[in-house]
Amino acid sequence: MPAQTEMNFKALQLLREDADKIAQLISVQLDNLTLPKCPLYEEVLDTQMFGLSREIDFAVRAGMITREQGQQIMHDLERKLEDLYSKVLLKSLDE
Amino acid sequence: MPAQTEMNFKALQLLREDADKIAQLISVQLDNLTLPKCPLYEEVLDTQMFGLSREIDFAVRAGMITREQGQQIMHDLERKLEDLYSKVLLKSLDE
């Protein structure tokens, strides 16, 4: 595997792991919250999303991944967070 | 130049450019402030430093730069900001 594809593969793997860590962090937070309307939750999420977006932007500028690959990682994470968020909402409506 | 050193060179160049952008951003802010004790200044600085630290951490984990190279970039930027900060303080004492 030529160096460039290897670097692309490694970068994508790292970025996906970081995205999963954010989803994991938020799902743990959500498990402990009735409604995620608490400022800390928002702040943790914003900070982590900002950090990941800077990593992705850097990887694109360094030629490690394409802009589309980067957008896909953010998009997948946002969808995961939406799922988590709606589950919490449904749960809180049931109670 | 083998791919790895090329990638190392490119990553360092990008990270140093990002560090310079932060120093530039802060020096512009400082020029317009008497004393940098305004919350916005602190928040912009914190956010930008956090973003750069995440880029550096990513570059280290991806094997693009060494941990020492990353620390050097942050260290140089912090020293630059200290210089900027002391200049503003001296200026405000003169007034």
Side-chain angles (χ1 to χ4, degrees):
Chain A
M1 194 191 285
Q4 181 52 32
T5 342
E6 206 183 299
M7 189 54 96
N8 176 269
F9 178 79
K10 179 150 191 180
L12 283 174
Q13 197 186 17
L14 279 171
L15 292 168
R16 287 193 183 112
E17 277 166 21
D18 287 354
D20 288 344
K21 274 184 222 153
I22 294 174
Q24 178 61 21
L25 178 82
I26 297 303
S27 75
V28 162
Q29 283 230 334
L30 288 181
D31 289 347
N32 307 329
L33 293 175
T34 43
L35 251 182
K37 265 295 143 233
C38 109
L40 180 64
Y41 161 79
E42 304 277 342
E43 205 174 309
V44 166
L45 183 59
D46 289 349
T47 308
Q48 291 303 320
M49 296 296 266
F50 172 73
L52 182 63
S53 66
R54 284 290 291 259
E55 286 180 20
I56 288 173
D57 182 63
F58 173 78
V60 170
R61 286 183 293 140
M64 299 169 81
I65 64 170
T66 64
R67 180 72 59 188
E68 291 66 32
Q69 286 174 320
Q71 283 163 349
Q72 190 61 50
I73 291 169
M74 285 304 265
H75 179 71
D76 294 347
L77 175 57
E78 276 152 8
R79 238 197 5 230
K80 227 179 242 177
L81 295 179
E82 274 158 29
D83 289 350
L84 286 169
Y85 197 65
S86 42
K87 268 189 210 128
V88 165
L89 275 180
L90 287 175
K91 205 176 88 178
S92 69
L93 295 176
D94 289 349
E95 278 150 15
Chain B
M1 193 194 288
Q4 181 52 32
T5 342
E6 207 184 300
M7 190 54 95
N8 176 269
F9 178 79
K10 180 151 192 179
L12 282 174
Q13 196 186 17
L14 279 172
L15 292 168
R16 286 193 184 113
E17 278 167 21
D18 287 354
D20 288 345
K21 276 183 220 153
I22 294 174
Q24 179 61 21
L25 178 82
I26 297 304
S27 73
V28 163
Q29 284 228 334
L30 289 181
D31 289 348
N32 307 328
L33 293 175
T34 44
L35 252 183
K37 265 296 146 226
C38 109
L40 180 64
Y41 161 80
E42 303 278 341
E43 205 173 313
V44 166
L45 183 58
D46 288 349
T47 307
Q48 292 302 320
M49 295 296 266
F50 171 73
L52 182 63
S53 68
R54 284 290 291 261
E55 287 180 19
I56 288 173
D57 182 62
F58 173 77
V60 169
R61 286 183 292 141
M64 299 169 80
I65 64 170
T66 64
R67 181 72 57 188
E68 291 66 33
Q69 286 173 319
Q71 283 164 349
Q72 190 60 50
I73 291 169
M74 285 305 266
H75 179 70
D76 293 349
L77 175 58
E78 277 151 8
R79 241 200 1 235
K80 228 180 242 177
L81 296 179
E82 274 158 30
D83 290 349
L84 286 170
Y85 200 63
S86 40
K87 268 190 209 125
V88 166
L89 275 180
L90 288 174
K91 206 176 88 180
S92 68
L93 295 177
D94 290 349
E95 280 151 12

